[in-house]
Each structure stands twice: as C-alpha cells, then as structure tokens.
DNA sequence: GTACGATATGGAGGGCCACCCCGTTTTTGC
DNA sequence: GCAAAAACGGGGTGGCCCTCCATATCGTAC
C-alpha cells in the first residue's frame, strides 16, 4: 500500500510523478536487495531507479522503511498463510508448517529476516503496521491455538519463536545451501537437540 | 599468538616497533569493539592506538583477522572449558553447560558471535586456526560424548549447534536483556518448542 | 489553454569510512 | 656507526549516507 493510493481517504493523493518514482525506486530496491541483501547500497538503488538520491530519501527516510515496503507483499502472504492454517484441524502441525514457511521466505528473500527482526524499536514506529508487528500478530493466533492443544510450551512467546526463526535464517543466509540448513536447524529447535522428544 | 613472538621458529621475529604497534592496535580494537560491536570503525581504532590507518591494515589485512586476534583469548578460554567439561560424568549436562557458556561469552562480548560464525569460508583461511575451527574442534569432542550417552540426536552436528547458538546471540545482541533472552532461547532450542520433551 | 501555487526533483556538498601508494623514519645486524 | 631491511603514516581515491536549495514539473482554477 503506497502512502497515498487513490483509495486512501485522508492525505491528498500523490502527484503522478512522485508516484512513478516511488514505484521505480521500489522495483530497483527489490532487485538490489535480492542481489546484495539488506545492506544494498541506497545510492545504487537510486541510480538504478534513475532518480536522485534525495528523491529516494524523501520517499523512504530510513533503510528500514524501504525494506518494509519491498517486503510488504511477501509479509502479507505469510499472514494470509497463517490465517489459512489457523482453520486446520491440527494446531501443532499448523504452527510448525507456518514457521517453516516463514523460514523459507526469509531464506529465499535476502534481507527479509533482517527486516522482520528489527521492528518498532528502531525508531521507525511511524504510521502503519511494520512487518514486524504484522507477522507477530499473525503468528500469535497460531501459537495460541497450539498452546491450547498442548502442542507448545506455555512459556514460549510468539516473539521467541520468530526471533529463533529469523536468527536461524540470518545465520545461514549466505550459505550456499541455506534453505536446507535453515530447515534442519528449525526442525532441531522445534523438536529439541536432546532425543526422546516426539518426532514432530 | 601474535604472528612472530620470540618462541616461533620459522619466520624472523617482529621488529620491536612493529610488535609495540601490534599490541596497541589490539588493545584499542578490544576497547572499540566492546563499545561499538563488530562494526567498529577501523579508522577510529587506528586513531585510538596512535598509529596510521595503513599500519592497522598492514597488521590486520581484514576486519575478520583483527576480530579473531581480539577474541582469541576468549575463544581459548572456551576451548579450555570444553576440555574441562569433557572429563565430567554427565555428557548431556556438559554439552548444555558448554553451549550456554558459549552463549554467555558471545552475548557479553559484542561481535564475538559474528567472529565465530564467519570462519574459513571468508577467504581468510590464512595460516593458523581461526576462532571458528578452534571452537568447532573443542565442541566436537563434547558432542561426541553426548551422542554416545544418547543425549544428543545422532544427526546433529557440532556445526549445527554452534550455528544455532551464534544465530541466537547475533539476534539478541542489541536487546537490552540479551543475556536472559539468549539463555531462554537456547534452552528452548535444546529442549524443543513442543512439550513432552524431558525437562533438560 | 494558460498561469500560478504547491509539490517534487536531483546535483552538489559535507561528513564519514575502508583501503592503498609511496616518500620518510626507525630498527637491526654487522 | 652504517647501510639495508622493515615498518611507518599522511594523504589520496572512491564509496557511502544524508541534506540543502535552486530548479523543474504537476494539478487546477479560471
């Protein structure tokens, strides 16, 4: 949702050129982030988008905000997935499946994990839901159901789980076989290092 | 082990002034890293050490090498701890205790986790054991014993465990209560998110 | 279709950084 | 002491992030 699409009520709609540049920057950012991860050079993004660096900074005052815009769609997908899974019969599997989905997205979209972690507490609490809060809320529901079904320790928070998932993804992000690694480590964390836990 | 202390056999010993600067840089780096984490400015380190930036780069061609030198002592401590614990009666507790010790060090020494993760595969395979390989070898022993005692899944590698620990530490490094967070998440990973595992 | 105010732009510049070149200084072995 | 070897560090290059402000563009009311 760009800041002032025509559906928005309050603020005046964006000027056409502003809107065009906004979209260009977003596209360039997506490409750059896919290529270089969350630390991609903002100047290069501006260059690729064919705009001045000032324009980029005006539209996205912080790197975090740019990343959030880039990933918003993916995050919404994950939230939708969570809602879907919440209607299933097995809360335990639902939670595990969802966390795996989060991991898959985070690994295949470089920088997503970083974006999901650093949420509000970076001074970017501005308007609108951050990726962080969006995903947290989506997961909370799944976790609550799992807990009711006795499929999750009661002292575990959704923040804990997401931190764990993102930590893992961040750690394996630049390994060649990151996807497999992340999956294995996540399974490990879910079922425990020590044996005798159930086989998930 | 500075590159050419007088005990080393092969290479000529360092010149006195080089040696002095090497030590100064290391001290300054330790202070700066403690203050700003692994991303501390190399120029500031050189400035604090009272040397030119070129001198710093000559002694430590890469940031990674500087970090490794800074943390070598700590890492050696951890390796010694591993050796100690390996003689104890309970391999399961020994492994868990050691991993917790690693986490504690990583959290309280900003940048250590990052240094432990990026091991050889950063092009810094140069001479000598990196922190990464040192700690891996130290842990391998503990894990082997735990596995024999059936206290660790056989398909878990020491690399997996260390990746997990470091990922967690990296993720919580800048939280205010990082220590507690890391401890909790580590316990979680060791015993599993799903209940019914043993209580560690 | 034009004129005008609001809005958006981007190049230039400041501050910071990593890294390297090379003339100069220091140390060492004799 | 002396000369060769070793180490030094100032300053340059190029990159980055971010801001200022003179200029260009857009939307609209007429």
């Amino acid at each position: 949702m760009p800041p002032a699409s025509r559906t928005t009520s309050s603020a005046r709609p964006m000027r056409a050129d502003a809107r065009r540049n906004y979209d260009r920057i977003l596209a360039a950012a997506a490409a750059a982030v896919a290529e270089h991860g969350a630390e991609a050079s903002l100047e290069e993004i501006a260059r690729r988008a064919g705009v001045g660096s000032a324009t980029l900074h005006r539209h996205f005052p912080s790197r975090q905000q740019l990343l959030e815009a880039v990933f918003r769609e993916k995050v919404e997908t994950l939230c939708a997935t969570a809602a879907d899974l919440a209607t299933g019969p097995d809360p335990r599997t639902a939670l595990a499946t969802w966390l795996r989905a989060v991991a898959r997205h985070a690994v295949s979209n470089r920088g997503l994990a970083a974006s999901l972690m650093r949420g509000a507490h970076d001074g970017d609490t501005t308007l609108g839901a951050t990726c962080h809060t969006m995903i947290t809320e989506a997961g909370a529901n799944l976790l609550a159901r799992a807990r009711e079904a006795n499929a999750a320790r009661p002292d575990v928070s959704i923040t804990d789980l997401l931190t764990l998932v993102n930590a893992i993804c961040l750690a394996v992000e630049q390994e060649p076989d990151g996807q497999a690694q992340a999956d294995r480590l996540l399974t490990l964390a879910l079922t425990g290092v020590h044996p005798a836990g159930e086989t998930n």
Side-chain angles (χ1 to χ4, degrees), chain A residues 72-199:
Chain A
R72 184 171 320 266
E73 201 177 326
K74 313 258 179 194
V75 172
E76 278 164 2
T77 303
L78 280 174
C79 292
T81 304
D84 270 12
L85 286 168
T87 68
D90 180 358
R92 176 189 178 125
T93 311
L95 179 61
T97 304
W98 186 67
L99 290 175
R100 254 185 271 278
V102 175
R104 190 162 38 252
H105 276 72
V107 168
S108 59
N109 296 99
R110 303 188 50 171
L112 216 195
S115 182
L116 290 179
M117 299 213 77
R118 329 221 174 290
H121 59 61
D122 255 23
D124 281 326
T125 328
T126 44
L127 57 114
T130 65
C131 292
H132 182 83
T133 61
M134 286 177 64
I135 205 118
T136 301
E137 281 164 21
N141 188 15
L142 277 176
L143 176 59
R145 294 176 139 259
R147 200 180 283 161
E148 276 168 28
N150 214 38
R153 298 175 178 276
D155 58 337
V156 171
S157 71
I158 185 64
T159 304
D160 287 343
L161 291 182
L162 287 171
T163 302
L164 214 43
V165 171
N166 285 316
I168 289 172
C169 293
L170 222 44
V172 305
E173 202 170 46
Q174 49 207 14
E175 304 283 333
D177 53 347
Q179 184 63 65
Q181 285 250 55
D183 243 43
R184 196 153 41 86
L185 290 176
L186 179 54
T187 302
L188 194 57
L190 288 179
T191 60
V193 170
H194 307 302
E198 305 149 56
T199 334

